[in-house]
Structure formats: structure tokens, C-alpha cells
Amino acid sequence: MSTRKYLFYVSQNYSFAILRPLQTAIRARGEQVKWFLSGNEVNLDYLKVDEDRLMSIKDVMSYSPDATFVPGNNVPHFIPGFKVAVFHGFNVEKRSNTRGHFNIRGHFDLYCTQGPNTTETFAKLSKKLQHFSVKETGWPAIDPLYDFSEQQAGVRPTVLLCSTFSKQLSCAETVFETVKKLSATQRWRWIVQFHPKMAASTVDKYKAIQGEHLTFVETDNVIPLLQQADVMVCDTSSVLSMFLLLSKPVVTFKNSNPKTHLIDIDDVEKLEKSIEFALSKPNPLMASIEHFVSETHPYKDGQSSQRVLAAVDELMQGKNLPAKRKPLNLLRNFKVRKKLNYWRW
């Protein structure tokens, strides 16, 4: 049997950290993987020297992958092979199902779901629409999350501030003065990391208050930051779900769907006391967090990438195939061809 060829289709910087554990699993199998970076929102410097990039869509077509993995919503329909959705984050219910995590655009043959609370809905949609399959695998991005081999214990508790970029949902501007004041007290070490689309003016404000007790970090891999922190301050960003998977508490500001596994506040004056409460790890809160973990991503073995590849193996063996062909999506597919300037049929 010839060596299988895989493609990573990347349009955002967060894709690198999501796909690299999958790349490690592919290479361990002695199989081939190449990267295609699409659009102007991808920082080419994030690609490592040992990662093979295809420079054009023509190169992609010549490569002719057996499967393409996408941590996003779109992928060109004309690329050969199976199209596999591996998601860019967890479902934090910022939008309705039809516009958010469960928006079916007709691009994918397989959705590799993260846990029971996403598998159930995708399975129902698969049964209804019949043009894609579903397999619960866990999320490849989580594979390195439980490896603490390079982590060192800190002297002070560490607070990680993360925020989404949407002005309507972001807490970054609202909590700025309070964070500035709290960092000056030296009680806690602060790490600040934002969504790559965060407004430059907001980023500049936080960079300006960096010092011994607060660090602003720009990275394509948030996992080391999650491991270092003891508590997170956030809003609706899906990164908070990754933090909860480490059984650590999260303080949210005006979360769009606050539940018992979160400490949600609507007044910045409550931030300091809420962080203190989170650091105390009260039993009811921690029990609620553990229930969230069991429903969202119960896999703590670091083997989700292997399960994703096994799910693709099934497709290639003629198992778990969709019952129907994907919809034509003529207008959307035309736009993709126009964007990539590819008109061969």
C-alpha cells in the first residue's frame, strides 16, 4: 500500500497549534503531510523549518492529498480526497447553533467531534442531512495539554487574562484599569494573551503596562500559558474551555451563557474577590468543572490525533461513509475558485 498523503489547510494562526499534534501522529505512522497557507491572515513565520509548505493551489492539486484537515469552516471543494473538520475551538455557545459551532456549510465529509455535548448534535444533523459522517475522537489540539514535563512551579499564583476580539463580547477594554491596578499590587503574576484579531489599540494598551508582574504574550500556541496559570480571567473566548479541562477555575466577565462551572461577574469591582474565590477552589465549583470536562472532552490520554487518523482510515476502507454526496454549493464554490484563482475542472 502506498504512503498516504495528508494536507493541512490553514487560514488562521491558531491552526498551527491545533494541527501540530496531528502532524506528529502522521509522521509517527511514516506518512506524509504538507501545509497550505491560505489568505493574508496567516503569519508565515509560524511555520517551522521542518514543515513542508505547498506554495500554490496548483501545488495542492498536484500533491493530490488523500485527506485534508481543516480547523475552520471552509475548504475548497475541488481539492482531492476527504475533507475532515477538526474545529478551531470548543462550543462556548456565543451564537445560535445555526450560526455557531453546529453551522453545516456542506464542505466536509467527516466531523471529528470533541466530546458528548458536541457529538450528540452533530450525530442528529448527520442523520438528517446524510452528506457527512461523525466520529467522536477528542480534539488533537488537546493532546499536549496534559504534558507538564517542562513546567516549573511558580512562587506566586498566576492569572491568565484571555479575551475574544469582538467588541460586543470582549472584556479586554472593560477590565484594563482594574488589571493594571491589580498587577501593581504584586499579589499575583499576570499573563495576558488575546485573540489574534484583537484591536491593535487594545493590544498596545496592555503592552504599555508590561513589567515584572505582567507579561503580554503573542503566540500561536496557548497551551504552555494554560499550564502555567492557576486561574483564568476571560469573557466568551473558547480558550476558557481548554483551561477548564485542566480542572482549573475561570472567572468570566458577562459571559453570554454563564453556567455553574464558571464564576461570572458583571462588575469589574468584583474581579479581585472573584480571583481570590477561584484560587480557593471550593468543592461545589470544582465538582461542576469536572462534570463540564466529562461532557466536553473526556479524553485525557493525549491520543486524540490517533483517533482522528483512525476515523479517516475507516473512510478510506469504505466504512462510516456519508449516505449522500455533499450539496453543490455553487455560489460558495465559485467564490472559493475566484479567491484562489483556480478554474481547472
Side-chain angles (χ1 to χ4, degrees):
M1 184 178 67
S2 59
T3 302
R4 286 177 180 162
K5 297 182 293 184
Y6 300 102
L7 177 71
F8 291 162
Y9 189 87
V10 172
S11 58
Q12 296 289 338
N13 288 332
Y14 53 64
S15 300
F16 291 102
I18 295 170
L19 293 171
R20 281 189 175 124
L22 193 56
Q23 176 176 251
T24 299
I26 290 170
R27 288 176 170 176
R29 288 168 41 142
E31 297 175 335
Q32 191 174 5
V33 59
K34 295 181 183 291
W35 298 71
F36 179 66
L37 312 184
S38 175
N40 57 12
E41 296 187 25
V42 185
N43 187 340
L44 306 184
D45 293 336
Y46 283 152
L47 200 68
K48 296 181 179 179
V49 293
D50 66 337
E51 293 173 334
D52 197 353
R53 176 189 173 194
L54 296 173
M55 302 301 295
S56 70
I57 194 64
K58 292 181 180 178
D59 292 338
V60 170
M61 300 304 288
S62 296
Y63 177 55
S64 189
D66 296 297
T68 297
F69 298 99
V70 187
N73 299 321
N74 303 298
V75 60
H77 68 287
F78 51 82
I79 294 177
F82 293 107
K83 316 300 188 302
V84 183
V86 293
F87 300 104
H88 64 269
F90 288 101
N91 177 29
V92 292
E93 303 178 34
K94 286 189 275 189
R95 302 176 180 88
S96 66
N97 284 352
T98 56
R99 294 184 60 242
H101 198 73
F102 302 104
N103 185 0
I104 305 299
R105 292 175 170 84
H107 290 293
F108 297 104
D109 301 286
L110 174 68
Y111 285 87
C112 290
T113 57
Q114 300 153 335
N117 64 4
T118 51
T119 304
E120 181 179 356
T121 301
F122 275 107
K124 289 179 180 178
L125 290 168
S126 175
K127 185 176 181 180
K128 176 183 177 181
L129 300 173
Q130 299 186 53
H131 58 73
F132 63 89
S133 300
V134 176
K135 193 77 170 184
E136 186 175 296
T137 60
W139 196 30
I142 298 300
D143 286 350
L145 188 63
Y146 301 99
D147 179 5
F148 291 89
S149 58
E150 298 183 6
Q151 294 300 311
Q152 298 179 355
V155 176
R156 291 175 297 165
T158 297
V159 180
L160 173 62
L161 170 63
C162 291
S163 179
T164 189
F165 66 95
S166 169
K167 289 184 178 180
Q168 292 79 15
L169 301 174
S170 175
C171 71
E173 286 289 340
T174 307
V175 304
F176 173 77
E177 291 296 337
T178 302
V179 170
K180 179 180 179 181
K181 180 182 69 175
L182 291 177
S183 66
T185 67
Q186 305 179 23
R187 293 182 64 193
W188 307 313
R189 172 190 174 217
W190 286 81
I191 303 174
V192 181
Q193 191 272 338
F194 293 150
H195 190 285
K197 291 185 179 180
M198 178 65 73
S201 58
T202 302
V203 170
D204 290 342
K205 286 175 69 172
Y206 278 89
K207 285 184 175 179
I209 62 171
Q210 287 190 99
E212 182 182 355
H213 312 295
L214 186 146
T215 305
F216 186 90
V217 179
E218 292 179 291
T219 180
D220 66 318
N221 183 12
V222 72
I223 284 179
L225 307 183
L226 303 180
Q227 293 172 324
Q228 292 174 44
D230 298 288
V231 62
M232 174 182 282
V233 174
C234 198
D235 36 48
T236 62
S237 175
S238 63
V239 72
L240 70 84
S241 297
M242 294 176 65
F243 193 75
L244 288 166
L245 296 184
L246 290 171
S247 299
K248 297 178 181 181
V250 177
V251 177
T252 53
F253 185 79
K254 293 185 178 180
N255 185 271
S256 58
N257 188 31
K259 295 183 178 179
T260 57
H261 56 266
L262 300 174
I263 305 168
D264 192 60
I265 60 174
D266 57 6
D267 183 352
V268 292
E269 295 299 320
K270 299 178 181 178
L271 184 59
E272 183 175 12
K273 291 295 184 182
S274 297
I275 294 173
E276 292 173 351
F277 179 71
L279 288 170
S280 73
K281 295 187 176 182
N283 290 334
L285 173 65
M286 301 312 295
S288 186
I289 289 174
E290 288 306 316
H291 176 72
F292 169 84
V293 171
S294 69
E295 288 294 307
T296 304
H297 195 282
Y299 307 98
K300 299 183 179 182
D301 58 2
Q303 301 293 308
S304 291
S305 293
Q306 286 82 351
R307 283 187 288 271
V308 168
L309 294 177
V312 175
D313 288 342
E314 286 188 343
L315 295 183
M316 295 181 182
Q317 295 163 6
K319 304 174 184 177
N320 196 31
L321 291 170
K324 297 181 179 179
R325 296 182 63 179
K326 294 190 290 291
L328 293 176
N329 287 330
L330 293 176
L331 179 60
R332 189 173 289 158
N333 290 336
F334 173 80
K335 290 180 179 179
V336 171
R337 285 186 178 273
K338 184 178 181 181
K339 178 182 178 181
L340 295 172
N341 193 27
Y342 187 83
W343 302 104
R344 293 185 184 180
W345 299 88

